[in-house]
Amino acid sequence: MLTQAAVRTDAFRVVPNSRPFPSAPRSTGRPACGNRGEINSLDESLLLMGATMSYPRNTEIFGENEPADYVYKVLSGSVRTYNILSDGRRQIGGFYMPGDIFGIEFDGEHTSAAEAITDVKVLVLKRSALDALAGRDATVARELFALTARELRRVQDRILLLIKSAQERVAGFLLEMAQRSSGGNAIDLPMSRQDIADYLGLTIETVSRTLTSLETAATIEVPTSRRIVLRNRSALTRMNG
């Protein structure tokens, strides 16, 4: 849920609540598109109708089961969505990087919580304003439908991921991060090993052991805990099935 003094535009209103939050300036530049490589009508709408907000590292952006009244686009930093299971374990559902849009739900409530991994800046747009715009603008409607379809595909991919072996899961994760990164074979991961483990449904020990095994086999290189270099993509692809 949004957490600062009211920010108003013609189509946007942020309602304050009890969570403390730094002040958020209006966005004044063109929207950042991250690794998308282009600006589309949906990006322009987020810029023109939304507001820029900043979230410090590890700050909750919205909670599970809270009203899904807003849509978010990452400008800088990274975000994780997660659920806390009945036994206290955390299951991370997704990572969102610059250019990614999150917070779109099929129902009126968020099915998971969202939290800033690093210091984050996001564009925030009231969902009702976006729905109204999509009703008037066929291009925005198509882009919104495509975005929703990608999110559904991501959920389906996660279901398949969780039935794979540990090595297959880690290999698939590295390929996914490389695809979303602009650094070629070098990946700078914003998330911790614990985040990776909670995303893959593994223990942190298994993730570390698997990365060490891949490095020993010269498939990857691990200069630091957050930087991984892919030395043999084809081998990782074969492991990923």
Side-chain angles (χ1 to χ4, degrees):
M1 187 178 293
L2 297 175
T3 59
Q4 65 177 26
V7 178
R8 298 171 186 267
T9 70
D10 291 341
F12 183 89
R13 181 172 182 267
V14 177
V15 181
N17 62 39
S18 59
R19 288 192 197 124
F21 200 80
S23 61
R26 284 284 298 156
S27 175
T28 57
R30 291 181 68 80
C33 291
N35 55 17
R36 295 288 181 268
E38 62 180 18
I39 296 174
N40 57 30
S41 297
L42 186 55
D43 292 320
E44 295 285 2
S45 300
L46 284 164
L47 172 65
L48 295 173
M49 301 172 65
T52 302
M53 299 185 69
S54 298
Y55 291 83
R57 178 175 176 266
N58 291 328
T59 299
E60 185 177 90
I61 299 170
F62 56 74
E64 183 179 356
N65 298 324
E66 288 186 352
D69 292 335
Y70 301 92
V71 175
Y72 306 77
K73 178 177 179 178
V74 182
L75 296 178
S76 64
S78 54
V79 172
R80 58 183 165 240
T81 55
Y82 67 94
N83 297 87
I84 301 299
L85 306 181
S86 58
D87 60 3
R89 287 180 298 142
R90 182 183 65 164
Q91 178 66 66
I92 290 180
F95 297 112
Y96 296 87
M97 313 298 185
D100 290 338
I101 295 174
F102 67 101
I104 292 180
E105 300 285 354
F106 298 104
D107 204 348
E109 295 183 344
H110 289 295
T111 56
S112 60
E115 189 174 65
I117 298 175
T118 62
D119 292 346
V120 169
K121 285 187 178 181
V122 295
L123 277 174
V124 187
L125 176 63
K126 198 167 178 63
R127 179 179 172 180
S128 59
L130 183 58
D131 289 343
L133 178 63
R136 300 190 304 268
D137 188 323
T139 300
V140 171
R142 284 195 300 271
E143 291 168 0
L144 190 58
F145 177 80
L147 174 64
T148 304
R150 286 197 299 271
E151 279 294 287
L152 181 58
R153 176 61 184 271
R154 185 185 64 79
V155 172
Q156 292 171 333
D157 288 344
R158 272 200 55 71
I159 293 172
L160 293 176
L161 172 74
L162 296 177
I163 64 173
K164 293 182 176 182
S165 69
Q167 187 180 69
E168 289 170 334
R169 295 185 204 188
V170 172
F173 171 77
L174 293 177
L175 290 171
E176 176 191 352
M177 291 298 106
Q179 184 178 17
R180 298 172 66 181
S181 170
S182 58
N185 287 329
I187 313 168
D188 290 306
L189 298 173
M191 68 287 293
S192 67
R193 294 282 177 89
Q194 187 63 64
D195 284 339
I196 297 171
D198 290 348
Y199 177 67
L200 298 178
L202 301 170
T203 65
I204 189 172
E205 293 81 8
T206 299
V207 170
S208 296
R209 220 171 23 245
T210 304
L211 289 172
T212 298
S213 174
L214 292 174
E215 187 173 28
T216 300
T219 306
I220 63 172
E221 182 181 348
V222 188
T224 70
S225 62
R226 296 295 181 94
R227 185 172 179 83
I228 297 178
V229 180
L230 307 189
R231 299 180 61 187
N232 191 336
R233 275 181 180 256
S234 60
L236 289 171
T237 301
R238 287 194 298 272
M239 291 176 197
N240 189 39

